[in-house]
Amino acid sequence: MASQTEENYLKSLFNLANEAGEVNISELAQQMQVSMPTVNSMVKTLQKNGWLIYEKYKPVTLTSEGKKEAALVIRKHRLTEMFLVKKMGFGWEEVHEIAEQIEHIHSPKFFERMDEMMGHPTVDPHGSPIPDKMGRVQEVSYFTLSKCKTGQIVNLAALTNSSTEFLEFLNSRDLRLGIELQVISIEPYDQSMVVSFEGHPSETLSEKVCDRLLVRLVG
Amino acid sequence: MASQTEENYLKSLFNLANEAGEVNISELAQQMQVSMPTVNSMVKTLQKNGWLIYEKYKPVTLTSEGKKEAALVIRKHRLTEMFLVKKMGFGWEEVHEIAEQIEHIHSPKFFERMDEMMGHPTVDPHGSPIPDKMGRVQEVSYFTLSKCKTGQIVNLAALTNSSTEFLEFLNSRDLRLGIELQVISIEPYDQSMVVSFEGHPSETLSEKVCDRLLVRLVG
DNA sequence: CAATTTTGTTAGAAGATTCTAACAAATTAC
DNA sequence: GTAATTTGTTAGAATCTTCTAACAAAATTG
Ligand SMILES: [Mn+2]
Ligand SMILES: [Mn+2]
Ligand SMILES: [Mn+2]
Ligand SMILES: [Mn+2]
């Protein structure tokens, strides 16, 4: 069984994996906030456990067992976040820290029960998909608001970043998942957008913000 | 801040402390399921942290800081057990293992919210008192059913033992906290009792069981 | 009270996770 | 294509929690 530390590494590996599934030691070290030698020894441990493939001086790759293990931890994390919001009244900006800890609880029943109580949610409070019990992640095809053209109407579906600061910024503008956004105009100089949405006939969003909002076409 | 391991030792120390507040190394080793040398080194660590007083070859005693720290972990444990039963539909025999893990979550808000959602319960699902936010434990004066006389009517208030096996035994007889029990007769040979309670006009309970049921006089 | 048993201590080591310092390989820049 | 930079590795050590073996103190027993 994966230790708490190993679970955290697996999650980071899963999230950092690119199309080729490769992750560099330095990326992982930065993500995990530890030194490269620490990562070096941990990837050897994870390899011994059969969760990744490692060759000296090469980027590492999760095995299918590693991916499944990682996805199941992510499942626990996202179910917890959703439970905290839907059943315990927390704001979406408060739940990450707590879920970071509860994701390591060993009790299938506990997460089963959360899942049941919420009616088997498919996404977490930030719009990220919740892997199923087999560790399969449903593919979703959103695009960033910054890719939209003037006049388009879209649905805010997820975020590319869920930092507390960003979530608090969104709270301050009443930007919540599910709202319909219409692109009123785009400033050519800095790509900032003027958008309208329920109760906000005109709100300017910087490119930085638009890049972090994932939307889908209304319909 | 106490580590997970230290929190578990503090809890055991708190629960083992006798009237004099003293705990032997060997008791603690047995309770924690570790060797005596392990306890020996841990008590030195706990002493360095100011949580207990240790002198070579003497039993150890928690300081008031140690007692408070311990009581706050016990508070988290018992609030969690109650939450699992009242808000998540678990049976009283299923919650200890999960609470043993969740008690180590660092998030005052999380336990605050549990407490609020349940309307500030004062006891856990096994009738044990929940320490308050200051770590104060309310004194309760129950006595065991085995101390009762023929004819007495009492209220089942708590248990002296909450092992899964005992809880499952109680489930099998519909014995739940809050029920009213009347002592019909006591067998002089083995101290077993015949009792009656809602739906059960006559049920025989061994001395072992009667010793583990804490009751209070009806009224 | 002397012998035995129980309880507690020290010493030494192991595994897990982390670090820094030093060096080596790979990549990038000029 | 050498030089500089970045990336990755090894070695060696620290901290935490645990162990076993050996020994010492305290308590119990006859
Ligand atoms: Mn975590
Ligand atoms: Mn999330
Ligand atoms: Mn615990
Ligand atoms: Mn309990």
Side-chain angles (χ1 to χ4, degrees):
Chain A
M1 199 169 46
S3 71
Q4 210 156 301
T5 307
E6 288 167 338
E7 286 189 342
N8 286 334
Y9 276 91
L10 288 171
K11 245 182 359 147
S12 287
L13 281 159
F14 191 96
N15 288 139
L16 288 173
N18 52 33
E19 322 76 53
E22 297 189 336
V23 181
N24 298 321
I25 304 296
S26 61
E27 286 182 273
L28 187 49
Q30 176 154 45
Q31 176 81 20
M32 292 295 298
Q33 302 266 75
V34 297
S35 68
M36 284 203 293
T38 299
V39 170
N40 188 271
S41 71
M42 184 51 73
V43 296
K44 288 172 180 170
T45 303
L46 295 173
Q47 183 182 39
K48 280 203 196 78
N49 289 328
W51 290 318
L52 60 71
I53 289 155
Y54 164 68
E55 278 179 273
K56 259 196 186 184
Y57 298 108
K58 294 265 186 67
V60 299
T61 322
L62 284 176
T63 61
S64 47
E65 294 78 44
K67 273 181 222 155
K68 182 174 178 185
E69 197 77 15
L72 292 177
V73 180
I74 291 169
R75 173 176 168 81
K76 290 192 284 177
H77 183 104
R78 294 183 179 163
L79 278 175
T80 301
E81 285 190 341
M82 203 62 172
F83 185 86
L84 291 171
V85 168
K86 292 286 190 216
K87 298 291 175 184
M88 294 187 74
F90 283 93
W92 66 349
E93 78 286 0
E94 301 179 293
V95 298
H96 182 78
E97 289 277 288
I98 305 176
E100 200 56 51
Q101 300 176 63
I102 296 193
E103 69 191 2
H104 305 294
I105 301 293
H106 295 299
S107 170
K109 270 188 191 168
F110 179 58
F111 296 100
E112 253 327 289
R113 200 65 202 93
M114 276 190 185
D115 190 34
E116 277 169 35
M117 285 174 71
M118 296 188 287
H120 312 287
T122 59
V123 294
D124 83 359
H126 314 107
S128 303
I130 299 177
D132 71 16
K133 273 184 273 191
M134 296 306 294
R136 287 175 302 230
V137 192
Q138 138 222 19
E139 279 308 311
V140 283
S141 54
Y142 304 140
F143 47 96
T144 63
L145 180 60
S146 50
K147 292 236 165 56
C148 294
K149 306 289 173 232
T150 303
Q152 270 192 312
I153 300 178
V154 294
N155 225 254
L156 182 54
L159 311 172
T160 59
N161 173 290
S162 303
S163 68
T164 307
E165 308 77 54
F166 183 49
L167 294 169
E168 280 170 350
F169 167 82
L170 297 179
N171 284 346
S172 74
R173 308 299 164 100
D174 289 339
L175 286 162
R176 297 180 309 282
L177 294 193
I179 59 173
E180 260 184 26
L181 288 163
Q182 175 159 28
V183 181
I184 305 296
S185 66
I186 306 174
E187 169 58 47
Y189 175 64
D190 65 357
Q191 309 302 121
S192 67
M193 284 180 164
V194 177
V195 300
S196 75
F197 58 97
E198 41 176 283
H200 295 248
S202 159
E203 193 78 62
T204 304
L205 302 175
S206 70
E207 192 188 13
K208 180 166 178 178
V209 168
C210 296
D211 264 340
R212 295 178 167 199
L213 299 178
L214 288 169
V215 299
R216 94 188 114 210
L217 288 175
V218 170
Chain B
M1 199 167 51
S3 71
Q4 211 156 300
T5 307
E6 287 167 340
E7 286 189 343
N8 285 332
Y9 277 90
L10 288 171
K11 246 183 356 148
S12 287
L13 281 159
F14 192 96
N15 288 140
L16 289 173
N18 52 31
E19 322 76 52
E22 297 188 337
V23 180
N24 298 322
I25 304 296
S26 63
E27 285 183 274
L28 187 49
Q30 175 153 46
Q31 175 81 22
M32 292 294 300
Q33 302 266 75
V34 297
S35 68
M36 283 204 293
T38 298
V39 170
N40 187 273
S41 69
M42 183 52 72
V43 296
K44 287 172 181 172
T45 303
L46 295 173
Q47 182 181 41
K48 281 201 195 80
N49 289 327
W51 290 319
L52 59 70
I53 289 156
Y54 165 68
E55 278 180 274
K56 258 195 186 186
Y57 299 108
K58 294 267 185 65
V60 299
T61 322
L62 284 176
T63 61
S64 46
E65 294 78 42
K67 271 181 224 155
K68 182 174 178 184
E69 197 77 16
L72 291 177
V73 180
I74 291 169
R75 173 176 168 80
K76 291 193 284 177
H77 183 105
R78 293 184 180 164
L79 277 176
T80 300
E81 286 190 339
M82 203 62 173
F83 186 86
L84 292 171
V85 168
K86 292 286 190 216
K87 298 291 173 182
M88 295 187 73
F90 283 93
W92 67 348
E93 78 285 2
E94 301 178 294
V95 299
H96 182 78
E97 288 276 288
I98 305 177
E100 200 55 51
Q101 300 176 63
I102 296 194
E103 70 190 0
H104 305 294
I105 300 293
H106 294 300
S107 171
K109 271 189 192 167
F110 179 59
F111 296 101
E112 252 329 289
R113 200 65 201 93
M114 275 189 185
D115 191 34
E116 277 169 35
M117 285 174 71
M118 295 187 288
H120 312 287
T122 59
V123 295
D124 83 359
H126 314 107
S128 304
I130 299 177
D132 71 16
K133 275 184 272 191
M134 297 305 297
R136 286 175 302 230
V137 192
Q138 136 224 20
E139 278 309 312
V140 283
S141 53
Y142 304 140
F143 47 97
T144 63
L145 179 60
S146 50
K147 293 236 165 55
C148 293
K149 306 289 172 231
T150 303
Q152 269 193 314
I153 300 178
V154 293
N155 226 254
L156 182 54
L159 311 172
T160 59
N161 173 289
S162 302
S163 68
T164 306
E165 308 76 57
F166 183 49
L167 294 169
E168 280 170 350
F169 166 81
L170 296 179
N171 283 345
S172 74
R173 307 299 164 101
D174 289 338
L175 285 163
R176 298 181 309 283
L177 294 194
I179 59 174
E180 258 184 28
L181 289 164
Q182 175 159 28
V183 181
I184 305 296
S185 66
I186 305 173
E187 169 59 48
Y189 175 62
D190 65 359
Q191 309 303 121
S192 67
M193 283 179 164
V194 176
V195 300
S196 76
F197 58 98
E198 40 176 283
H200 295 248
S202 159
E203 193 79 60
T204 304
L205 303 176
S206 70
E207 191 187 15
K208 180 167 179 178
V209 168
C210 296
D211 262 339
R212 296 177 166 200
L213 298 177
L214 288 168
V215 300
R216 94 188 114 211
L217 288 175
V218 169

